Amino acid sequence: MNYFVEGLQGSGKSTLVKRLAERLPDHKVFHEGDYSPVELAWCVYVSKAKYREILEKYYEIRSMIAEKSHEEDDHMIICYTQILTDIPGFHKDLEQYEIYNNRLTPEAFRKVILERFSKWKTDGNIFECSLFQNIVEDMILFQDASDQEITDFYREIRSVLTGRDYRIMYLWTEDISSNIDAIRKERSDDHGKELWFPLMLRYFNESAYAKKRGLSGEEAMLDHFEHRQTLELSICKDVFSDRYTMLKSKGYSCEYGITE
């Protein structure tokens, strides 16, 4: 069985992934930023020609880049956030080659995702936020796709996954605001300075979705999260009705719904 652990930021995905991994030690865990057969978050996705340009530009660390690089047909994937270097601007530069945040046309974006899901062949995996979070965020915030368009796209994903064994473990959050407050504190430095929340808020404020509607600020972002959760649960029910288990965020038993 393969598991997709999904839910909003702060819902406890990392904790559930850890518990699943402890219960299923023969499964392989994929976090954001890892080289994954299905997800490209925090990874560069470029042609081989562009990859050679990157190696030439950062010649002094080319061996480090190569170590975190993977070939897929005519593309190269670099897990660039796993490369530790003090070269100024390195991570910001490579960020431009991710597939998210309107860096690809909607058509190219969907083609990449469908092709990778269709070519995925391994089993016994636990994926953290690899099915919904980054794809849905991009389609809402940067492609301005409607709920129906997003749902229809997931019908295509469901189709290419025909014959695969997988289970979606969705962590439903009752109090989104409290969960976000908790993660704000967790992801702060030793002096209490928030590290994650300002970046998340800026990400929302600068999205095409927010700008088009004149939205900004914490309340608007929380409304977006509420909408996203409602949409993702709707997709679970309408598209993956036989493939998902809904668990209450931070209020579930690991004995429920987790099987070999």
Side-chain angles (χ1 to χ4, degrees):
M1 181 60 69
N2 299 284
Y3 293 95
F4 289 97
V5 178
E6 300 293 329
L8 295 181
Q9 291 87 333
S11 60
K13 294 187 295 294
S14 296
T15 298
L16 180 54
V17 166
K18 181 180 178 182
R19 291 179 178 176
L20 274 168
E22 290 170 350
R23 185 179 176 90
L24 305 169
D26 59 332
H27 281 52
K28 182 175 176 60
V29 175
F30 292 94
H31 300 286
E32 283 187 298
D34 292 340
Y35 174 61
S36 162
V38 297
E39 171 60 7
L40 286 168
W42 305 110
C43 291
V44 161
Y45 184 76
V46 292
S47 66
K48 290 182 178 179
K50 178 57 68 174
Y51 178 73
R52 289 191 291 270
E53 289 180 22
I54 292 171
L55 289 180
E56 183 63 28
K57 183 175 183 179
Y58 296 103
Y59 184 81
E60 62 269 45
I61 59 167
R62 63 182 298 142
S63 61
M64 296 171 63
I65 296 172
E67 184 180 350
K68 295 297 181 180
S69 300
H70 306 268
E71 182 179 355
E72 284 191 1
D73 298 325
D74 57 346
H75 282 79
M76 296 297 294
I77 295 171
I78 310 171
C79 302
Y80 75 98
T81 57
Q82 297 181 358
I83 299 172
L84 302 179
T85 177
D86 56 2
I87 295 177
F90 171 78
H91 295 98
K92 188 64 178 176
D93 182 21
L94 265 62
E95 181 184 19
Q96 68 180 300
Y97 302 115
E98 289 191 36
I99 70 168
Y100 297 106
N101 301 7
N102 205 31
R103 294 186 178 98
L104 297 180
T105 65
E107 294 74 20
F109 176 83
R110 299 177 198 195
K111 183 173 183 286
V112 168
I113 291 166
L114 288 174
E115 284 184 350
R116 298 194 81 242
F117 271 112
S118 67
K119 292 177 181 178
W120 164 46
K121 301 300 180 185
T122 61
D123 285 316
N125 302 299
I126 301 171
F127 297 104
E128 182 178 8
C129 56
S130 297
L131 183 61
F132 287 141
Q133 179 168 292
N134 297 297
I135 296 172
V136 175
E137 288 274 43
D138 192 90
M139 294 186 76
I140 292 175
L141 296 180
F142 293 93
Q143 299 180 32
D144 202 20
S146 69
D147 289 1
Q148 188 60 57
E149 288 173 323
I150 296 171
T151 301
D152 289 343
F153 180 59
Y154 274 93
R155 294 190 195 282
E156 294 185 64
I157 292 176
R158 171 74 196 243
S159 179
V160 301
L161 291 178
T162 298
R164 303 309 312 275
D165 289 327
Y166 61 94
R167 192 80 185 166
I168 301 167
M169 312 296 287
Y170 196 94
L171 289 161
W172 169 70
T173 300
E174 184 175 22
D175 188 343
I176 296 173
S177 180
S178 293
N179 274 14
I180 294 298
D181 284 343
I183 198 172
R184 288 175 69 170
K185 294 174 183 176
E186 290 172 5
R187 299 181 183 179
S188 298
D189 65 17
D190 295 338
H191 303 288
K193 181 181 178 181
E194 293 182 355
L195 303 174
W196 170 80
F197 187 75
L199 294 176
M200 186 67 230
L201 189 59
R202 186 164 68 247
Y203 169 79
F204 173 77
N205 289 344
E206 294 179 357
S207 70
Y209 174 90
K211 289 181 177 179
K212 179 178 179 180
R213 292 161 177 79
L215 300 173
S216 66
E218 182 176 348
E219 198 61 39
M221 186 176 72
L222 290 175
D223 287 343
H224 158 67
F225 284 148
E226 181 72 47
H227 168 222
R228 202 190 99 199
Q229 178 173 255
T230 299
L231 174 58
E232 290 175 353
L233 283 172
S234 174
I235 292 171
C236 284
K237 295 172 185 175
D238 294 345
V239 181
F240 300 100
S241 60
D242 58 334
R243 294 286 184 175
Y244 86 101
T245 297
M246 187 175 77
L247 303 173
K248 185 176 181 181
S249 172
K250 304 172 185 176
Y252 59 87
S253 167
C254 265
E255 297 303 313
Y256 176 70
I258 302 173
T259 67
E260 296 285 352

